[in-house]
Amino acid sequence: MILFFHLAANADVRFGLEHPSKDLQQNTIATFNVLEAMRANSIRRIAFSSTGSVYGETAVIPTPEDAPFPIQTSLYAASKLAGEGLVQAYCEGFGFEGYIFRFVSILGERYTHGHVLDFYRQLLHNRARLTVLGDGTQRKSYLYIQDCISAMLHGILNGTAASAKHRSIVYNLGTNEYCTVKDSISWDLWPPWCRAEA
């Protein structure tokens, strides 16, 4: 049976308030369009990339999949949560089989955004100065892209959504570890010329 991987999204959380319709159009409406295209073409299995951001500022880390949702504080997270709801509703209503993956921040080849890349770009321009957004105590958890792909394939190949009560299942993909933004400044992965003080 064919499986559709829906991994596309606008994932730039920081600028969501500058273009409020972008998350709606590129995340929620795009997910609806994917589901409708699947229905029209008799494709019944979907792997959907969501985000751990739907948990907001959770006090429980690692966060279980059945943790209650707080008030949403970003348009990105709200749009992804709406996408999850659409996937689950199509699974229930049209007999789809849905695998929803809530990612922490992903790092690896072709990484396009986030504070690590932002730091790197800043230091390319000025090795002596680094601007940190906020107070630097924000906690971040990362998962290497190849580990993320392996985890997704493991969940899908086990076929757990097919036997789930509502034919959809949610997996949190991450690690038990996290760092603060300030911690990441001193990581040994930075080349010597890149190390700077906030």
Side-chain angles (χ1 to χ4, degrees):
M1 184 184 292
I2 297 172
L3 171 70
F4 191 93
F5 283 84
H6 178 24
L7 307 175
N10 171 49
D12 198 343
V13 180
R14 292 180 303 162
F15 301 113
L17 298 178
E18 293 179 16
H19 41 69
S21 67
K22 194 179 223 180
D23 288 309
L24 174 67
Q25 294 297 327
Q26 294 184 7
N27 298 349
T28 309
I29 302 300
T31 299
F32 167 76
N33 291 337
V34 164
L35 292 164
E36 277 295 286
M38 289 174 60
R39 190 164 70 96
N41 291 281
S42 299
I43 299 169
R44 296 286 184 261
R45 298 175 75 214
I46 182 170
F48 176 67
S49 61
S50 187
T51 174
S53 296
V54 299
Y55 297 116
E57 295 296 323
T58 182
V60 181
I61 297 175
T63 310
E65 285 84 353
D66 61 355
F69 294 127
I71 292 172
Q72 295 300 306
T73 56
S74 76
L75 295 175
Y76 168 69
S79 69
K80 292 302 263 184
L81 189 55
E84 286 188 22
L86 286 169
V87 170
Q88 291 166 334
Y90 271 71
C91 290
E92 180 74 19
F94 298 111
F96 282 21
E97 183 180 327
Y99 297 86
I100 297 167
F101 298 98
R102 294 177 181 152
F103 303 153
V104 295
S105 296
I106 306 298
L107 276 176
E109 297 78 8
R110 295 191 292 275
Y111 182 70
T112 61
H113 64 280
H115 90 274
V116 173
L117 184 63
D118 178 55
F119 284 179
Y120 178 73
R121 287 178 173 158
Q122 285 186 58
L123 293 169
L124 282 176
H125 286 71
N126 183 347
R127 298 177 187 182
R129 180 170 174 76
L130 186 62
T131 301
V132 178
L133 297 177
D135 64 6
T137 62
Q138 307 92 313
R139 295 189 305 180
K140 300 290 288 183
S141 186
Y142 291 98
L143 183 64
Y144 178 55
I145 183 62
Q146 293 300 324
D147 294 332
C148 177
I149 292 168
S150 295
M152 290 177 70
L153 292 175
H154 179 74
I156 293 163
L157 292 174
N158 281 339
T160 48
S163 58
K165 182 177 179 182
H166 299 286
R167 296 188 54 81
S168 67
I169 193 158
V170 175
Y171 289 107
N172 290 339
L173 298 187
T175 68
N176 293 339
E177 301 171 339
Y178 66 88
C179 72
T180 66
V181 172
K182 280 184 179 178
D183 290 339
S184 68
I185 295 169
S186 62
W187 285 346
D188 287 337
L189 63 86
W190 298 105
W193 62 265
C194 274
R195 295 177 191 157
E197 295 299 324

